[in-house]
Amino acid sequence: MATLLLYPELLAAIFLCLLFLCHWRWSKTRTITNWPLVGMLPGLLQNRLNIHEYLTWHLQRNGGTFEFKGPWFTDTNIVVTSDPMNLHHICSKNFSNYPKGPEFQEIFDVLGDGILNSDHDSWRYQRKLLQTFLKDNKFKLFFEEVVKGKVEKGLIPILDHVSSLGIEVDLQDIFQRFTFDSICLMVLGHDPNCLSIEFPEVAHFKAFDEVEEGLLYRHFVPERWWKLQRKLQIGSEKKLSHAMKVLDEFIYECISTKREELLTIKKEELKFNLLTAIVMEHQEGEMSSNITKSNKFLRDTTANLLAAGKDTISAALTWFFWLVATHPSVEAKILEEIKEHLLDNRKSKDLNIDELSKLVYLHGAICESLRLFSPVTLSLKCSVQSDILPSGHSIRPNTRILNYFYAMGRMESIWGEDCLDFKPERWISKRGEIVHVPSFKFIVFNAGPRSCLGKDMTFIQIKIIASAILWNYRVQVVESHPISPNTSILLQMKHGLKVRITKRFV
Ligand code: HEM
């Protein structure tokens, strides 16, 4: 060893040979190299720009589960899985052993103590509360009115405008504006009017994107590092704090306006939205004595609902429209189906929820697009006690587990050899009904007691928007435009979706 130290060139040559051997072994076996000291981090960093494909490939090669080893002494090992039986076990069968855990709660501090960020009794209470409101008929009617109103007064005028000018437009941006306006209306009773021909810059709309960027960064750097940055208010943490402040100001202002409204307007005259419903519940219910303290509760609850419903639906819409625009035979079948249900020359926006539920092929196309491009790419859990997963992997207490949704939609073992093809027919039975796939296989909306509370809402919203656009306009993707997913937890298109729009009926 001492001789080697005398010849640094020899040491460097040996190091290079080792590097070459490791790379050669990796390219032959395609297993992630576990380097001394730095673990599997170099491979992850090298592939950070196509991280979803990279992890999916390794999951396929490793039977759906592998342990990612982080750098030594950093406590960043993590079990990554896309095995349906593991997911069934983690999300349902042994649910109580796999809460989100304290690390999740620290990273997602912007969500406060809201439903997405809580465990145990607090989660249970909020889930029951929200379930009551979201299932209420009043909410369903209000929701339909909001979405249809936005289509008529926001979406159609913009698409008419860009089609008359013949200009390219970013459909993803339009969908993000649409979903932000509609979720703010549903949750806060306030319309930020982001969806308008002027494409206005709205501070809290932008702040949401900045928060998502900042949270992603926290996943990649060691915890100590981002916490230090937060303490010193430098780098991405400074930007994140500012964005969180903008968001908080917006939400707290909506809460105080709502409280004033409740004091001045008669109960019967109040317009329905979730914030009003929750405040009323608090005033009339057992928590009335805590009313003055509950601004934080209202902030957390509404912030969580905005986060849950904003970019999830816009991401789903963007990938759906890209797939349909690039698969003309699918588009033709959807149009045929809409035509069948548009008796007496009504406009597509007049289809009510019951009629929309009859659009089976459209439903299949939406499921297929969600399968291939799961808007929520992953979910993090942390074990309480030791356990053995159905795949045979041992779990120690405090093991971090990453349920990797993106890969699940692309596993040959689940969907067959044509798993990468866009085939809405996959979802339709011989009798013309939707094929039921258990949620631990079609994991897009999570499975078990923590499954998504907005699933039905999502399908209805996408169907209303999809039928309105496809029936009235041709959407053509700009040829040279690059299409690739970003590297975020929410699967947006990295460069947006540039399209040209033309009217079908002039
Ligand atoms: C394409 C659209 C959507 C997708 C793909 C989706 C997906 C998901 C997923 C994967 C989870 C589990 C997250 C986790 O625990 O880590 C979840 C939870 C949740 N979602 Fe959605 N979601 C969508 C739309 C919505 C909408 C529109 C709402 C309503 C505002 C909503 C409300 C919720 C709520 C409240 C939870 C928390 C459930 C709980 O922890 O008990 N989601 N969603």
Side-chain angles (χ1 to χ4, degrees):
M1 191 67 189
T3 331
L4 276 181
L5 289 175
L6 290 175
Y7 297 99
E9 297 85 355
L10 188 59
L11 199 64
I14 291 174
F15 181 70
L16 282 176
C17 282
L18 274 175
L19 209 64
F20 173 76
L21 273 174
C22 282
H23 185 74
W24 178 81
R25 185 177 153 262
W26 176 80
S27 57
K28 284 278 167 216
T29 61
R30 288 286 179 142
T31 54
I32 304 186
T33 308
N34 184 15
W35 298 86
L37 202 67
V38 287
M40 296 176 175
L41 192 63
L44 195 73
L45 292 177
Q46 196 186 354
N47 289 281
R48 69 192 180 284
L49 297 180
N50 62 342
I51 195 135
H52 297 308
E53 294 313 315
Y54 177 70
L55 292 177
T56 302
W57 171 261
H58 286 291
L59 284 164
Q60 280 163 349
R61 298 282 304 201
N62 288 284
T65 308
F66 73 91
E67 186 171 4
F68 175 84
K69 307 260 189 205
W72 293 358
F73 315 117
T74 59
D75 194 22
T76 47
N77 289 5
I78 185 162
V79 174
V80 186
T81 187
S82 61
D83 176 331
M85 294 328 287
N86 283 354
L87 266 290
H88 190 32
H89 182 83
I90 295 164
C91 299
S92 300
K93 281 187 163 173
N94 204 2
F95 172 72
S96 58
N97 196 42
Y98 296 97
K100 297 211 166 180
E103 192 191 352
F104 183 99
Q105 278 144 10
E106 282 216 64
I107 291 183
F108 289 92
D109 55 359
V110 63
L111 297 172
D113 300 320
I115 184 166
L116 292 167
N117 209 18
S118 57
D119 284 314
H120 315 300
D121 286 349
S122 162
W123 162 74
R124 221 166 280 121
Y125 169 74
Q126 295 185 61
R127 179 145 182 123
K128 215 168 132 201
L129 183 80
L130 290 177
Q131 240 166 351
T132 321
F133 294 130
L134 294 172
K135 284 203 171 138
D136 193 324
N137 243 2
K138 254 199 261 165
F139 175 72
K140 288 184 183 158
L141 288 173
F142 171 65
F143 161 72
E144 193 181 343
E145 182 193 312
V146 165
V147 178
K148 288 191 170 176
K150 270 284 144 198
V151 167
E152 196 176 347
K153 297 194 182 108
L155 189 64
I156 300 284
I158 288 190
L159 298 183
D160 281 350
H161 177 69
V162 295
S163 68
S164 68
L165 294 179
I167 51 174
E168 291 172 9
V169 66
D170 179 1
L171 205 51
Q172 177 166 271
D173 183 36
I174 292 183
F175 290 147
Q176 284 172 337
R177 288 168 184 273
F178 186 109
T179 48
F180 188 61
D181 281 0
S182 51
I183 197 79
C184 283
L185 266 164
M186 279 181 254
V187 175
L188 301 167
H190 167 84
D191 189 348
N193 277 316
C194 295
L195 187 71
S196 83
I197 293 176
E198 295 81 30
F199 290 89
E201 273 225 2
V202 178
H204 34 276
F205 174 64
K206 214 169 135 222
F208 244 105
D209 288 347
E210 286 168 358
V211 166
E212 272 165 25
E213 259 172 51
L215 295 186
L216 180 69
Y217 176 78
R218 285 183 178 179
H219 281 76
F220 285 119
V221 294
E223 193 183 335
R224 281 196 200 115
W225 176 240
W226 68 255
K227 282 192 174 164
L228 183 69
Q229 282 189 307
R230 184 173 65 181
K231 202 169 169 193
L232 300 174
Q233 280 300 294
I234 53 170
S236 81
E237 285 296 319
K238 185 178 171 191
K239 207 169 152 192
L240 181 61
S241 297
H242 177 255
M244 279 163 75
K245 197 167 157 249
V246 173
L247 263 189
D248 273 355
E249 279 168 9
F250 166 61
I251 297 177
Y252 278 121
E253 201 180 317
C254 288
I255 294 173
S256 88
T257 312
K258 194 60 55 196
R259 283 196 189 281
E260 277 167 31
E261 229 179 80
L262 286 172
L263 291 174
T264 50
I265 301 178
K266 281 191 200 143
K267 198 175 156 191
E268 316 75 73
E269 288 166 16
L270 282 172
K271 280 201 119 195
F272 186 86
N273 56 66
L274 288 171
L275 180 56
T276 306
I278 298 168
V279 176
M280 299 283 288
E281 161 87 10
H282 274 219
Q283 278 177 340
E284 288 166 10
E286 61 200 46
M287 290 179 76
S288 55
S289 55
N290 287 334
I291 188 79
T292 48
K293 288 191 226 157
S294 63
N295 262 4
K296 162 86 168 67
F297 176 82
L298 293 175
R299 179 259 171 227
D300 289 351
T301 308
T302 50
N304 277 251
L305 288 172
L306 296 183
K310 181 186 171 274
D311 283 336
T312 45
I313 299 195
S314 65
L317 279 163
T318 307
W319 291 106
F320 170 82
F321 270 90
W322 174 65
L323 285 166
V324 172
T326 50
H327 292 78
S329 63
V330 172
E331 185 185 24
K333 283 183 195 164
I334 295 176
L335 287 172
E336 194 55 39
E337 190 180 55
I338 296 176
K339 196 173 166 190
E340 243 174 67
H341 290 85
L342 277 178
L343 306 168
D344 58 42
N345 256 350
R346 287 178 309 156
K347 292 188 178 156
S348 61
K349 71 175 176 54
D350 294 337
L351 285 172
N352 62 38
I353 291 184
D354 284 342
E355 287 167 321
L356 285 170
S357 69
K358 290 179 192 145
L359 302 179
V360 174
Y361 190 81
L362 177 61
H363 192 96
I366 297 169
C367 289
E368 187 66 346
S369 148
L370 288 167
R371 172 183 78 81
L372 285 166
F373 296 99
S374 174
V376 180
T377 55
L378 54 90
S379 162
L380 198 62
K381 302 274 173 174
C382 186
S383 62
V384 178
Q385 291 175 358
S386 51
D387 191 15
I388 296 190
L389 294 180
S391 60
H393 291 78
S394 329
I395 301 294
R396 292 175 301 279
N398 274 324
T399 302
R400 297 184 316 149
I401 298 164
L402 201 134
N403 294 335
Y404 200 46
F405 299 167
Y406 178 86
M408 278 196 80
R410 291 159 177 259
M411 299 296 278
E412 211 176 299
S413 52
I414 306 175
W415 305 99
E417 274 178 21
D418 59 355
C419 60
L420 297 182
D421 297 345
F422 176 57
K423 276 190 176 171
E425 290 75 13
R426 198 189 299 278
W427 295 87
I428 299 159
S429 72
K430 286 199 180 99
R431 292 172 57 193
E433 288 162 0
I434 284 293
V435 173
H436 171 75
V437 178
S439 52
F440 55 89
K441 286 188 181 166
F442 182 49
I443 194 76
V444 172
F445 294 99
N446 210 13
R450 282 200 93 136
S451 58
C452 176
L453 286 174
K455 184 177 172 185
D456 294 346
M457 231 163 105
T458 298
F459 274 100
I460 294 170
Q461 187 160 342
I462 296 180
K463 282 179 192 171
I464 293 177
I465 297 171
S467 54
I469 297 185
L470 291 173
W471 185 250
N472 293 299
Y473 306 93
R474 270 186 204 93
V475 178
Q476 209 182 353
V477 179
V478 171
E479 247 180 45
S480 54
H481 183 66
I483 301 291
S484 58
N486 60 3
T487 45
S488 175
I489 304 158
L490 290 179
L491 198 74
Q492 308 278 352
M493 281 191 184
K494 196 194 272 176
H495 310 283
L497 178 60
K498 283 273 157 70
V499 298
R500 278 183 197 283
I501 305 277
T502 42
K503 278 187 172 186
R504 283 192 198 276
F505 313 103
V506 190

